[in-house]
C-alpha cells in the first residue's frame, strides 16, 4: 500500500554524499524534506538540484533539513555537483542518497508504474525514481507528498510555502487559503469556537459561517 499523509515516514539507513545516514536520527527534532530525482546528468534534474541548493538556507531557517535521492551511486552524485554549480551557480551541500539497490525508492514508492515490482523485471528507465517530495515533521509523520512527472521541474518555492502553512497550523490551529503567502490572512479552523477565536486572535472576519479569517499569528 502506498504511503499517505500522517503515516510514519519509513525509517532507513543509506549511503549518502555526507556519509551513512539513518533517516529518523538525521531528522532529529526538526523537519525533513526527502526529494527524489530520476537521473544524474540530465537537464531538468540539474536545474532542480541547483534550485534546491539555492534555497537551502531558507529551508534551514524553518528548521528543515533537505536530503536528495536517486538510484545513481554516491560517486556519480559527487561528479555531477560540478555541473550543477556550472549550470545554476549553486553548490549542493545537502546530502544525496545513492540508492543503487532501489531500497529507499521502493520503501517510498518512488518508482513509476512499469515492468513489475522486482528490479530484475524493470528496464533502466523503469528504475529511475519519479520526482517525489516528502515533508516529514518532528514526530516523523509525513506531512506532505508531491509527485511530478519526469519532464516537469518542481517549484521549490511552493514547497517552502506549503511548509510555512503546515508549521503555522501545527502552532496556531489555523489553515491557509488558496495561494496564501507569508504575512497574508489565515483561516480559523472549525475546531476553534468564536469565543476561543476572540481569545486567541483578538478579532476575525466572518466571510461565511464556515469561513472565518484573521491576521496571521506572529508569535
Ligand atoms: C531530466 O532531468 O531532464 C530528465 C530525467 C529523466 C527523464 C527525463 C528527463
Amino acid at each position: 500500500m502506498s504511503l499517505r499523509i500522517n503515516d510514519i515516514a519509513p525509517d532507513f539507513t543509506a549511503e549518502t554524499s555526507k556519509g551513512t545516514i539513518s533517516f529518523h536520527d538525521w531528522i532529529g527534532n526538526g523537519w525533513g524534506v526527502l526529494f527524489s530525482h530520476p537521473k544524474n546528468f540530465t537537464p531538468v534534474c540539474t536545474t532542480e538540484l541547483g534550485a534546491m541548493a539555492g534555497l537551502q538556507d531558507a529551508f534551514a531557517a524553518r528548521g528543515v533539513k533537505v536530503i536528495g535521492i536517486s538510484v545513481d551511486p554516491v560517486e556519480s552524485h559527487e561528479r555531477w555537483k560540478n555541473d550543477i554549480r556550472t549550470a545554476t551557480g549553486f553548490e549542493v551541500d545537502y546530502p544525496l542518497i545513492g540508492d543503487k539497490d532501489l531500497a529507499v525508492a521502493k520503501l517510498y514508492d518512488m518508482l513509476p508504474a512499469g515492468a513489475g515490482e522486482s528490479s530484475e523485471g524493470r528496464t533502466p528507465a523503469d528504475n529511475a525514481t519519479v520526482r517525489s517530495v516528502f515533508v516529514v515533521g518532528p514526530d516523523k509523520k509525513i506531512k506532505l507528498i508531491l509527485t511530478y512527472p519526469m519532464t516537469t521541474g518542481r517549484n521549490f518555492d511552493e514547497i517552502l510555502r506549503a511548509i510555512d502553512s503546515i508549521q503555522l497550523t501545527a502552532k496556531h490551529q489555523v489553515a491557509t487559503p488558496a495561494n496564501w503567502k507569508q504575512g497574508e490572512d489565515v483561516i480559523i479552523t472549525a475546531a476553534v469556537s468564536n469565543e476561543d477565536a476572540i481569545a486567541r486572535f483578538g478579532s476575525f472576519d466572518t466571510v461565511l459561517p464556515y469561513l472565518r479569517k484573521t491576521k496571521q499569528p506572529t508569535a
Side-chain angles (χ1 to χ4, degrees):
M1 186 144 103
S2 56
L3 292 172
R4 296 176 297 182
I5 283 179
N6 281 341
D7 280 341
I8 294 288
D11 198 13
F12 59 82
T13 299
E15 295 311 311
T16 84
S17 53
K18 300 272 187 190
T20 304
I21 282 180
S22 292
F23 189 52
H24 284 192
D25 287 347
W26 175 79
I27 291 176
N29 295 322
W31 295 66
V33 169
L34 170 67
F35 77 109
S36 57
H37 66 273
K39 198 92 196 92
N40 292 357
F41 301 101
T42 56
V44 177
C45 299
T46 301
T47 64
E48 283 195 317
L49 270 79
M52 183 56 113
L55 289 174
Q56 204 183 340
D57 288 350
F59 281 91
R62 290 157 171 83
V64 184
K65 289 180 175 174
V66 168
I67 187 165
I69 172 172
S70 78
V71 301
D72 302 282
V74 167
E75 309 78 66
S76 167
H77 292 329
E78 290 301 342
R79 279 185 284 114
W80 185 35
K81 283 181 185 178
N82 294 328
D83 283 2
I84 296 170
R85 188 190 318 112
T86 301
T88 69
F90 294 111
E91 187 75 38
V92 172
D93 194 35
Y94 48 84
L96 294 174
I97 297 168
D99 192 34
K100 285 187 300 186
D101 59 359
L102 315 184
V104 181
K106 286 179 183 170
L107 204 53
Y108 278 80
D109 215 0
M110 289 169 164
L111 299 170
E117 290 313 307
S118 73
S119 54
E120 295 76 35
R122 290 176 174 271
T123 66
D126 293 326
N127 278 344
T129 44
V130 293
R131 301 184 196 281
S132 298
V133 181
F134 291 86
V135 175
V136 179
D139 56 2
K140 311 298 178 297
K141 287 187 178 173
I142 296 171
K143 307 297 178 185
L144 175 145
I145 302 172
L146 290 172
T147 309
Y148 275 51
M150 302 289 192
T151 43
T152 303
R154 285 158 286 192
N155 182 333
F156 290 86
D157 289 323
E158 166 59 11
I159 299 170
L160 279 177
R161 190 195 74 91
I163 288 171
D164 284 342
S165 169
I166 294 163
Q167 292 187 339
L168 207 53
T169 303
K171 218 169 165 188
H172 294 290
Q173 283 197 294
V174 295
T176 56
N179 300 328
W180 173 87
K181 292 192 291 298
Q182 272 287 10
E184 294 180 354
D185 287 356
V186 299
I187 293 171
I188 300 168
T189 62
V192 180
S193 68
N194 284 346
E195 197 179 31
D196 276 357
I198 292 289
R200 281 167 180 261
F201 308 114
S203 65
F204 62 88
D205 293 331
T206 304
V207 182
L208 293 165
Y210 54 83
L211 173 53
R212 298 168 298 164
K213 286 190 168 180
T214 190
K215 298 277 172 231
Q216 178 183 331
T218 48

